[in-house]
Amino acid sequence: MNIGEASRASGVSAKMIRHYESIGLVPRADRQDSGYRDYGPEDVHRLGFVRRARDLGFSLDRIRVLLGLWGDPSRTSSEVKALALTHIKELEGKARHLQEMADVLRGLSLACDGDERPDCPIIAGLEGGPRLSSRHSRDWPTSHSS
Amino acid sequence: MNIGEASRASGVSAKMIRHYESIGLVPRADRQDSGYRDYGPEDVHRLGFVRRARDLGFSLDRIRVLLGLWGDPSRTSSEVKALALTHIKELEGKARHLQEMADVLRGLSLACDGDERPDCPIIAGLEGGPRLSSRHSRDWPTSHSS
DNA sequence: CTGCACCTTCCCATTATGGGAAGGTCAACG
DNA sequence: CGTTGACCTTCCCATAATGGGAAGGTGCAG
């Protein structure tokens, strides 16, 4: 089958299929006489694997490893699991980081009237002064006059 | 002051300061006779603003808008707040997405023995079959024999 | 034979950041 | 004065993953 059909069948864009081939993530596809790439069910299967791994946030580099494990009959499930757990930690670390940023910003936003006047704690927070944290405003000692 | 000092004072790398200038995010810096860029307290202040906005996950494009609002005496805090709330939604959306991926993977990992044998639900999950979801395994109807 | 859909390769753009080269400036030290 | 080392300049390249689009070849249907 042509690349377009393989793309539809696997959910990977033709552009990306070519790219994955160019970086050696997937083997070079066979060619028809026309020069068109030629894919079989196994290729589509592999591309689907890659797509699902991408959907779970794995980097192409890590997918390379996963593909190796996939095709390795002597793999151990502990290798796979270790890779997965590492990835889970990274995902959750990033999720936490994003949520922390959101929380800080929400704290500033709660203090912002959101009216027609220019005064705005959000701008003030960005402007400097106390480090941005997720704590409440009463924990922001703007100055210690003592 | 030289760019190095401005960098240390603002927490923005010299490389990035030049970059921000090149894309017009911050005004072109004055030059000393030597050709060195020359920064004043106000410049450092602005760079600090940019850094803190970056720390909260704002894109440079949005920081451009924030800087505009910052310097606009006729801004309304509602404009700022709206921008912030939009950004919060995006951050939380991304955080949720990452967490969902982690949850799916954790589901697969829990089912994986992690021993010396090759059998691995994680690999099987990537390989295809039922769509990857965050549901429990008892919610994965592999087949309906009825 | 024409037209349209599809394929090929190649280059460019994105986002934010950094590495590094080649060369100019400055200050200090001997 | 001369050298050295820290600092500055600009310019190009790289990253990760994806897409846009151009220029040109292929295949099939009418």
Side-chain angles (χ1 to χ4, degrees), chain B residues 13 15 20 34 36 54 59-60:
Chain B
S13 75
K15 210 91 187 192
Y20 293 164
S34 58
Y36 287 12
R54 288 293 302 131
S59 70
L60 296 187

Side-chain angles (χ1 to χ4, degrees), chain A residues 58 62 65-66 69-70 75-89, chain B residues 105-124 126:
Chain A
F58 285 98
R62 230 163 240 176
V65 178
L66 284 171
L69 290 169
W70 185 32
R75 70 159 179 266
T76 64
S77 65
S78 68
E79 294 174 274
V80 181
K81 190 167 184 171
L83 197 58
L85 291 178
T86 297
H87 187 56
I88 289 171
K89 281 213 186 85
Chain B
L105 206 47
R106 191 178 295 285
L108 293 173
S109 297
L110 283 176
C112 175
D113 291 336
D115 56 20
E116 323 72 36
R117 289 169 302 169
D119 313 84
C120 178
I122 301 170
I123 290 286
L126 290 171

Side-chain angles (χ1 to χ4, degrees), chain A residues 114-134:
Chain A
D115 56 21
E116 323 71 35
R117 288 168 302 167
D119 313 83
C120 177
I122 302 170
I123 291 287
L126 291 170
E127 206 171 326
R131 44 226 143 302
L132 296 174
S133 78
S134 54

Side-chain angles (χ1 to χ4, degrees), chain A residues 2-70:
Chain A
N2 283 349
I3 199 172
E5 201 179 339
S7 168
R8 282 182 292 272
S10 65
V12 179
S13 74
K15 210 91 188 195
M16 279 303 101
I17 294 177
R18 294 194 195 95
H19 180 59
Y20 293 164
E21 178 181 324
S22 81
I23 64 172
L25 184 68
V26 299
R28 269 187 299 287
D30 287 344
R31 297 293 178 134
Q32 302 160 201
D33 291 350
S34 58
Y36 288 11
R37 287 177 181 77
D38 196 12
Y39 296 91
E42 190 174 344
D43 300 304
V44 171
H45 192 199
R46 181 173 24 239
L47 288 169
F49 183 99
V50 173
R51 185 184 57 73
R52 278 178 289 272
R54 287 294 300 133
D55 287 348
L56 290 181
F58 285 98
S59 70
L60 296 187
D61 263 356
R62 230 163 240 176
I63 292 174
R64 203 184 292 274
V65 178
L66 284 171
L67 283 169
L69 290 169
W70 185 32

Side-chain angles (χ1 to χ4, degrees), chain B residues 53-144:
Chain B
R54 288 293 302 131
D55 288 348
L56 290 181
F58 285 98
S59 70
L60 296 187
D61 261 357
R62 231 164 239 177
I63 293 175
R64 202 185 293 274
V65 177
L66 284 171
L67 283 169
L69 290 169
W70 185 30
D72 179 3
S74 73
R75 70 161 179 262
T76 65
S77 65
S78 67
E79 294 175 274
V80 181
K81 191 167 184 172
L83 197 58
L85 292 178
T86 297
H87 187 56
I88 290 171
K89 281 213 186 87
E90 288 182 10
L91 289 171
E92 295 190 327
K94 287 179 194 169
R96 235 179 294 119
H97 184 214
L98 290 170
Q99 190 59 54
E100 280 169 15
M101 298 191 297
D103 289 345
V104 173
L105 206 47
R106 191 178 295 285
L108 293 173
S109 297
L110 283 176
C112 175
D113 291 336
D115 56 20
E116 323 72 36
R117 289 169 302 169
D119 313 84
C120 178
I122 301 170
I123 290 286
L126 290 171
E127 205 170 328
R131 43 230 143 298
L132 297 173
S133 78
S134 54
R135 323 221 172 291
H136 308 300
S137 51
R138 44 179 308 284
D139 293 329
W140 287 353
T142 307
S143 72
H144 270 223

